[in-house]
């Protein structure tokens, strides 16, 4: 379901809220939502900015205080994320807002939340198969395809390229990688010679990109599957003196990514609008707390960032 339809669904529910439907909203106590991202990361800081804006809007519009608690694993570790989810479930919040590290690995913790009748919304991710949970985010395959096609055109549809995977178990990272590989497979003169794994760490991405470029001196280009990867790749390109020689198309709108584009290290970036994802994830969680049905998917769209658009 596209964003326009999601907007309509949200607005359609609004009159019901003022009619006094028996649900969590009848109490004057604050609504409490817990937002649990993949890890501590500046991308999620942007998502939290959008989440807070949505909470402020709800409070201003309805008079009901909204508390959004941010609980992030220090590293992209599924066990740590599940522990945070389980601890959040024990507090019986009005909703959980999750970015999954592993849809299978997270399933047991999410089943526990469902058993406790705690509403869940996922953002920047996809829900586990069979779970009726609203997902908020961009079309991840479209985002990866956009980046890969742009890189293919930059390098004349020939040469050796590499992909930085992000977190291999993360549904959005995996889907982007699959779609990027499909693009490159269309062109017989292009070959993916390496795939790095950065686990959502810029430092790890920089180290892996440097090692891969040393191992493959004929490498002509890079794409990534997460927000950390392209920043680390760009740092490795610059430090290795390969600016202009090795092309990069990044993902997302971190400040460091934007600077790499301005500096000519990266050509462009396909951004999944983290602020908007955080905003609409909270709106969806609020609607569920109100007892309203929510869309299966809210598409927040993709921004193409270039030196001309920044």
């Amino acid at each position: 379901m596209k964003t326009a339809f999601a907007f309509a669904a949200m607005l359609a529910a609004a009159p019901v809220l003022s009619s006094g439907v028996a649900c969590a909203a009848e109490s004057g106590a604050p609504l409490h939502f817990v937002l649990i991202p993949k890890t501590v990361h500046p991308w999620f800081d942007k998502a939290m900015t959008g989440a807070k804006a949505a909470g402020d809007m709800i409070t201003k519009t309805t008079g009901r205080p909204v508390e959004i608690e941010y609980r992030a694993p220090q590293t992209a570790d599924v066990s740590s994320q599940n522990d945070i989810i389980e601890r959040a479930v024990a507090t019986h919040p009005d909703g959980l807002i999750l970015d999954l590290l592993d849809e299978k690995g997270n399933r047991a913790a999410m089943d526990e939340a469902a058993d406790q009748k705690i509403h869940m919304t996922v953002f920047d991710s996809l829900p586990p198969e069979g779970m009726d949970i609203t997902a908020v985010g961009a079309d991840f395959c479209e985002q990866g395809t956009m980046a890969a096609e742009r890189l293919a055109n930059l390098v004349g549809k020939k040469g050796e390229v590499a992909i930085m995977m992000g977190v291999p178990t993360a549904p959005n990272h995996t889907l982007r990688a699959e779609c990027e590989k499909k693009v490159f497979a269309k062109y017989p003169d292009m070959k993916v010679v390496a795939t790095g794994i950065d686990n959502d760490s810029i430092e790890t991405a920089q180290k892996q990109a440097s090692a891969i470029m040393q191992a493959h001196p004929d490498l002509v280009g890079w794409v990534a599957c997460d927000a950390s990867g392209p920043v680390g790749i760009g740092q490795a390109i610059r430090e290795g003196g390969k600016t202009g020689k090795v092309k990069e198309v990044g993902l997302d709108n971190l400040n460091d990514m934007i600077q790499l584009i301005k500096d000519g290290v990266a050509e462009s970036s396909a951004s999944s609008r983290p602020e908007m994802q955080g905003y609409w994830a909270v709106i969806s969680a609020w609607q569920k707390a109100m007892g309203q049905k929510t869309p299966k998917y809210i598409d927040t769209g993709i921004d193409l960032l270039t030196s001309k658009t920044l």
Side-chain angles (χ1 to χ4, degrees):
M1 179 175 287
K2 298 298 183 183
T3 307
F5 295 112
F7 288 4
M10 300 298 181
L11 292 174
V16 179
L17 301 181
S18 62
S19 65
V21 171
C23 60
E26 285 192 350
S27 168
L31 288 168
H32 178 212
F33 302 117
V34 181
L35 190 152
I36 304 173
K38 288 185 177 77
T39 187
V40 174
H41 195 283
W43 192 93
F44 295 113
D45 294 341
K46 289 177 175 284
M48 189 60 181
T49 296
K52 288 180 178 178
D56 290 344
M57 183 279 297
I58 294 167
T59 298
K60 183 177 180 179
T61 303
T62 68
R64 183 79 180 272
V66 174
E67 297 175 350
I68 303 171
E69 185 179 359
Y70 184 75
R71 299 190 185 186
Q74 289 300 309
T75 60
D77 177 73
V78 178
S79 296
S80 296
Q81 189 180 45
N82 283 337
D83 181 64
I84 292 172
I85 293 172
E86 290 165 2
R87 289 174 182 272
V89 168
T91 69
H92 299 285
D94 294 294
L96 293 177
I97 301 169
L98 310 172
D99 186 354
L100 307 183
L101 274 166
D102 184 338
E103 61 176 314
K104 293 181 180 179
N106 291 129
R107 182 62 186 259
M110 295 178 73
D111 283 340
E112 180 181 347
D115 290 343
Q116 296 290 329
K117 301 189 184 305
I118 295 172
H119 300 297
M120 288 174 282
T121 299
V122 299
F123 73 105
D124 187 45
S125 186
L126 296 171
E129 185 175 352
M131 297 195 83
D132 185 18
I133 296 174
T134 295
V136 179
D139 183 325
F140 306 120
C141 185
E142 179 184 355
Q143 189 182 16
T145 298
M146 180 188 297
E149 288 285 8
R150 197 165 183 92
L151 179 65
N153 289 323
L154 282 174
V155 300
K157 300 177 182 176
K158 61 182 179 182
E160 297 180 354
V161 296
I163 299 172
M164 191 65 72
M165 289 285 296
V167 180
T169 58
N172 56 336
H173 297 182
T174 301
L175 185 54
R176 288 178 186 132
E178 290 174 354
C179 294
E180 288 166 352
K181 290 176 182 178
K182 287 180 181 178
V183 169
F184 298 140
K186 295 191 306 181
Y187 304 115
D189 293 330
M190 294 192 74
K191 182 180 180 181
V192 178
V193 295
T195 53
I197 296 173
D198 62 55
N199 284 316
D200 243 335
S201 163
I202 293 173
E203 181 181 358
T204 301
Q206 187 273 333
K207 291 178 180 178
Q208 293 222 355
S210 293
I212 286 170
M213 287 189 290
Q214 288 177 8
H216 299 277
D218 294 329
L219 194 77
V220 297
W222 277 98
V223 290
C225 302
D226 65 338
S228 295
V231 175
I233 291 166
Q235 291 173 349
I237 289 173
R238 178 155 44 199
E239 291 168 6
K242 294 182 180 292
T243 300
K245 300 174 184 178
V246 177
K247 307 295 184 182
E248 179 189 7
V249 176
L251 290 182
D252 287 313
N253 63 347
L254 297 187
N255 293 339
D256 287 344
M257 184 73 250
I258 291 172
Q259 192 61 51
L260 287 169
I261 296 171
K262 290 180 177 179
D263 292 345
V265 178
E267 187 271 340
S268 60
S269 184
S271 171
S272 58
R273 299 175 175 173
E275 296 91 345
M276 190 181 292
Q277 288 197 43
Y279 186 96
W280 283 100
V282 170
I283 296 298
S284 175
W286 168 56
Q287 288 284 283
K288 288 183 179 182
M290 298 301 100
Q292 302 302 312
K293 291 183 178 181
T294 58
K296 181 177 181 180
Y297 185 64
I298 300 175
D299 187 345
T300 51
I302 302 165
D303 289 326
L304 179 62
L305 307 179
T306 70
S307 58
K308 294 181 179 179
T309 62
L310 293 173

